[in-house]
């Protein structure tokens, strides 16, 4: 990673075309000492994308249309809930 790069890459163990994509909000960063660290949106990303959307026990339609809302920088770390696409 280069300094200032805020792209995160999510790759699921299951090989699907939609399983890897770039995020523009970044949640893993390289520090000045070269060590990787997680950003403030890590809990939201890990819960929503890595746990909820890739959980094999969740029906595919639910994973595609329901999002977990966890504290993150977009909601000023002030909300918890779900979002449903109709």
């Amino acid at each position: 990673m280069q300094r200032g790069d805020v792209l995160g890459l999510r790759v699921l163990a299951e090989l699907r075309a939609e399983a890897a994509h770039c995020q523009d909000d970044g949640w893993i960063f390289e520090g000045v000492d070269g060590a990787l660290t997680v950003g403030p949106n890590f809990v939201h990303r890990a819960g929503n994308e890595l746990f909820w959307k890739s959980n094999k026990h969740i029906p595919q339609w639910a994973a595609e249309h329901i999002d977990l809302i966890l504290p993150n920088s977009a909601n000023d770390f002030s909300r918890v809930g779900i979002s449903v696409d109709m």
Side-chain angles (χ1 to χ4, degrees), residues 33 44 54 60 62 75-76:
D33 62 353
H44 173 73
S54 62
Q60 186 66 31
N75 65 28
D76 293 325

Side-chain angles (χ1 to χ4, degrees), residues 4 17 21 29 31 34 39 46 63-64 74:
H21 66 275
F29 300 93
E64 291 176 0

Side-chain angles (χ1 to χ4, degrees), residues 44 47-48 51-53 58 61-62 65-72 75 79-86:
H44 173 73
N48 194 45
F51 170 73
W52 176 253
K53 296 205 178 281
I58 304 293
W61 63 266
H65 297 287
I66 299 173
D67 290 312
L68 300 179
I69 300 172
L70 299 171
N72 64 74
N75 65 28
R79 294 184 192 97
V80 175
I82 63 169
S83 170
V84 180
D85 296 335
M86 302 300 274

